[in-house]
Amino acid sequence: MKLGYIGLGKMGFNMVARLLEKKYEVVVFDKNKNASGSIAGHGAKAADSLKSLAVSLDTPRLVWIMVPYQAVDPVIRELAPLLHTGDTVIDGGNSPYKESMRRARELETDGIGFLDAGVSGGPSGARTGACVMVGGKKEVFRKHETLFRDISCRGGYGYVGKSGAGHFVKMVHNGIEYGMMQAIAEGFALIKESPFGLDLVKVADLYNHRSVIESRLIGWLKEAFQELGEDLENISGTVSHSGEGAWTVEAAKELGIGVPVIEGALLFRILSRENPGYAGKILSALRNRFGGHEVFKPASGADKKN
């Protein structure tokens, strides 16, 4: 199979590397020429523009977009005139689901298929097998199902519904993730302050052996403690958020559903800008472990307060 791939950040680069191992022909484009050159060294073909990418693909074309959600519309505006009836565009990033619904409608007027694919698992999942939630017309999904099977872990992909459904399910996933991480952070902050002098690495390891809260998150926290120290001294207590938690809260309000845990976790991250603390350090450390996010303190050693 041959496809175009736009966006070679941590997720995109690793996913293309996986596709190349599975003998896909991949034509890539990224404004970062170093990223394009690096993946070309693994067997991809680097295009110097979206036009050259489109021309390099056989019809019907398949193009995967893996860029920040703010950049999706500009990419599609430039790409769509280069495509034809029967071609397919996949947005594999984290986009607001209503925007995905709109993009599907707009592209459909030109006969271009559109799938919204929520991808979970971080850069490591993109490399070794992710969890993928796909929305769009079912016949378009079926046409490209082999691709989703090949980028996923065993049993880790699925068609979840009409256009927008894939990004909606991924949005809620990220909202749940906010709440789970918050509970873990608060719990371990409490453990650290207990009068028992508890070994946080040992507790995390113990929790991760058939307890009810056994999880990848607990495993990643154990690794963070082991590598960075239990005080997480060089980790920022200010926790960033990339949008999906806020989108989940907004969607819940529109649908009349209470999500106090997710809303509280989002508020904690917002307030951590002015009040960084140990629970924030744990959240930042977890974000670094599974997403590769930059969470280390600035050179001054102090958290930024704005």
Side-chain angles (χ1 to χ4, degrees):
M1 185 182 292
K2 190 172 185 177
L3 74 154
Y5 202 101
I6 302 168
L8 295 171
K10 294 186 291 287
M11 293 288 289
F13 190 97
N14 282 359
M15 190 179 291
V16 171
R18 179 176 175 85
L19 289 170
L20 292 170
E21 283 186 354
K22 290 183 173 290
K23 308 306 180 185
Y24 280 71
E25 294 182 61
V26 188
V27 183
V28 300
F29 173 76
D30 193 290
K31 291 182 179 179
N32 182 342
K33 302 303 180 184
N34 290 333
S36 298
S38 181
I39 200 66
H42 290 77
K45 178 181 178 181
D48 58 9
S49 67
L50 292 183
K51 183 176 181 179
S52 63
L53 178 143
V55 169
S56 298
L57 299 175
D58 302 326
T59 57
R61 301 175 183 89
L62 172 61
V63 181
W64 186 293
I65 300 174
M66 200 68 152
V67 299
Y69 71 91
Q70 302 94 328
V72 176
D73 275 338
V75 169
I76 289 179
R77 278 196 296 269
E78 185 177 349
L79 179 67
L82 306 170
L83 302 179
H84 301 98
T85 298
D87 293 346
T88 301
V89 173
I90 301 172
D91 177 7
N94 288 318
S95 287
Y97 74 95
K98 290 183 180 179
E99 296 298 293
S100 299
M101 295 167 71
R102 172 183 60 79
R103 289 166 185 146
R105 290 194 300 269
E106 292 173 352
L107 288 170
E108 188 177 3
T109 62
D110 294 320
I112 300 169
F114 179 83
L115 297 172
D116 48 288
V119 181
S120 179
S124 64
R127 186 68 182 83
T128 62
C131 175
V132 187
M133 312 145 211
V134 188
K137 285 193 170 181
K138 197 165 190 176
E139 58 268 29
V140 180
F141 166 75
R142 292 299 184 200
K143 182 179 177 182
H144 302 294
E145 185 172 0
T146 299
L147 170 65
F148 294 113
R149 182 183 298 117
D150 286 342
I151 65 172
S152 304
C153 65
R154 184 179 178 86
Y157 76 95
Y159 173 77
V160 295
K162 63 184 180 180
S163 294
H167 281 154
F168 184 87
V169 172
K170 177 55 164 52
M171 175 193 74
V172 175
H173 160 284
N174 282 32
I176 293 169
E177 176 188 293
Y178 272 51
M180 292 174 67
M181 289 172 62
Q182 186 68 30
I184 291 169
E186 292 174 5
F188 274 86
L190 181 61
I191 290 171
K192 189 173 189 297
E193 292 302 314
S194 78
F196 301 109
L198 295 167
D199 182 329
L200 272 62
V201 173
K202 185 174 182 178
V203 172
D205 182 66
L206 184 60
Y207 280 167
N208 234 28
H209 282 81
R210 303 296 295 274
S211 84
V212 172
I213 62 169
E214 177 184 13
S215 65
R216 297 178 75 186
L217 287 169
I218 295 290
W220 280 320
L221 182 57
K222 174 193 167 186
E223 293 175 0
F225 284 146
Q226 287 176 317
E227 294 183 20
L228 303 169
E230 293 185 359
D231 290 336
L232 301 174
E233 185 176 352
N234 295 320
I235 298 294
S236 175
T238 297
V239 193
S240 297
H241 62 97
S242 53
E244 297 90 340
W247 302 342
T248 305
V249 172
E250 290 167 8
K253 289 179 179 177
E254 289 179 6
L255 297 171
I257 301 297
V259 288
V261 172
I262 298 172
E263 190 166 8
L266 173 63
L267 181 61
F268 179 93
R269 295 191 183 199
I270 294 170
L271 295 178
S272 73
R273 293 177 62 84
E274 295 296 332
N275 297 288
Y278 186 71
K281 287 175 174 284
I282 292 177
L283 292 171
S284 291
L286 285 171
R287 294 184 80 246
N288 176 257
R289 298 304 301 181
F290 67 71
H293 301 287
E294 181 58 53
V295 297
F296 294 93
K297 288 183 180 179
S300 65
D303 281 308
K304 294 180 180 178
K305 293 187 180 182
N306 299 317

